[in-house]
Amino acid sequence: GIRIAPTPFWLEGRVVVEALSLVFSPTTYGLGVPNGNGGPVLLIPGFLADDLSMHPLWWSLTVKGWRPYFSELGRNDYCLNDQLNRLSRRLDQIRSLAKHRNQPVDVIGWSLGGLLARALKKTRPDGVGKVITLATPQQIDAGIHPWLAQLAALNSQRVQRQTGKIACFTADCSCVFAQTVRDENEADVCIWSESDGIVEGKGTKHSDETRNRHIPTSHIGMGLSPRVHRELAHLLAEFGEERLSAEHQF
């Protein structure tokens, strides 16, 4: 279940600096990073957040030439299995657009959104391309700050009352979402920060070190960091080149 860890919460104050640096960074305006190929990218927000939190990433990727899409989940605080089903339908909507011709959709998930991204790839390998997680707890028992643990417990009680599902939004749930999180990690790249003030840094790493990218940011500011935006641009460009190369081999 939930494990409380003494994360350096005070370091989350960096989010103000991270937000300001993004405004003045050339990366925000598509300078000094690879151009996108117009491929679709689905953005999934974290716990208690909604698509508004993903606007900086949406803008940054759009300027670079990608076609990012919001999750349309609303606030991410409901039954995660229901959220996964909504994302599956959203995936179909995106792939049905003529300009994407059933292309695989790369997915970027922030914090809890990364767990949903992993689950989506596990359940929809036909539609999901690569998955990148940002400050996402990679284990079901990753250590989190006491305040977040309390919020999660209160939210779990609320969701259980609404859904009638006894273990909903807990590690004891037996739904498809919970099972996929316990299975092999489907994330292709995990961007993590050792100084994360909300989720224990080491708990946001992939067990395969080659899939990890360490960028020192706050948890709340992970999606605002120019360094993270640069890394995402390079990763998405690499994924695109890999697909192009694979197509030419056939």
Side-chain angles (χ1 to χ4, degrees):
I2 292 175
R3 183 171 63 82
I4 295 174
T7 57
F9 185 75
W10 61 90
L11 291 179
E12 291 301 301
R14 291 174 292 174
V15 66
V16 176
V17 176
E18 288 159 347
L20 288 173
S21 64
L22 185 63
V23 172
F24 297 104
S25 171
T27 303
T28 306
Y29 308 100
L31 302 175
V33 291
N35 291 324
N37 62 5
V41 184
L42 176 60
L43 307 176
I44 309 178
F47 177 50
L48 297 179
D50 58 20
D51 289 332
L52 185 63
S53 67
M54 308 302 284
H55 269 268
L57 270 178
W58 180 91
W59 166 262
S60 179
L61 293 175
T62 300
V63 169
K64 295 180 184 86
W66 303 100
R67 289 192 179 273
Y69 293 89
F70 294 120
S71 67
E72 299 187 354
L73 290 178
R75 191 168 65 182
N76 197 1
D77 62 355
Y78 193 62
C79 169
L80 293 169
N81 208 53
D82 287 355
Q83 297 288 64
L84 178 59
N85 290 333
R86 290 190 184 101
L87 286 171
S88 184
R89 292 192 292 271
R90 181 66 173 139
L91 183 68
D92 287 334
Q93 288 176 354
I94 295 169
R95 298 185 75 226
S96 68
L97 297 173
K99 58 192 169 191
H100 296 316
R101 304 182 307 280
N102 288 320
Q103 286 178 275
V105 179
D106 292 326
V107 185
I108 299 173
W110 190 350
S111 195
L112 177 61
L115 291 178
L116 284 165
R118 282 174 47 189
L120 188 62
K121 183 171 183 177
K122 187 76 173 180
T123 56
R124 292 294 310 276
D126 59 307
V128 175
K130 300 288 189 177
V131 166
I132 304 172
T133 66
L134 308 178
T136 293
Q138 300 298 333
Q139 296 86 34
I140 204 78
D141 63 343
I144 60 177
H145 190 274
W147 292 353
L148 179 61
Q150 188 172 17
L151 280 173
L154 290 171
N155 188 69
S156 177
Q157 294 170 14
R158 179 187 62 81
V159 173
Q160 288 171 25
R161 286 195 303 270
Q162 291 177 340
T163 63
K165 302 172 185 176
I166 296 175
C168 196
F169 221 99
T170 72
D172 299 321
C173 193
S174 58
C175 69
V176 172
F177 167 81
Q179 290 173 8
T180 59
V181 172
R182 297 186 191 102
D183 288 342
E184 183 179 351
N185 193 339
E186 293 287 336
D188 294 281
V189 176
C190 299
I191 298 180
W192 71 288
S193 171
E194 189 172 12
S195 55
D196 191 312
I198 292 180
V199 180
E200 196 172 28
K202 64 182 181 181
T204 61
K205 296 174 63 179
H206 199 290
S207 57
D208 179 354
E209 284 291 344
T210 64
R211 300 192 185 195
N212 292 318
R213 304 290 188 277
H214 178 252
I215 299 178
T217 71
S218 66
H219 186 90
I220 299 172
M222 177 68 81
L224 301 174
S225 164
R227 288 183 61 182
V228 170
H229 283 223
R230 277 196 297 274
E231 183 65 26
L232 289 173
H234 284 283
L235 287 170
L236 290 171
E238 288 174 18
F239 297 158
E241 289 171 3
E242 287 174 9
R243 287 192 196 105
L244 197 59
S245 177
E247 289 173 4
H248 286 163
Q249 290 177 5
F250 289 97

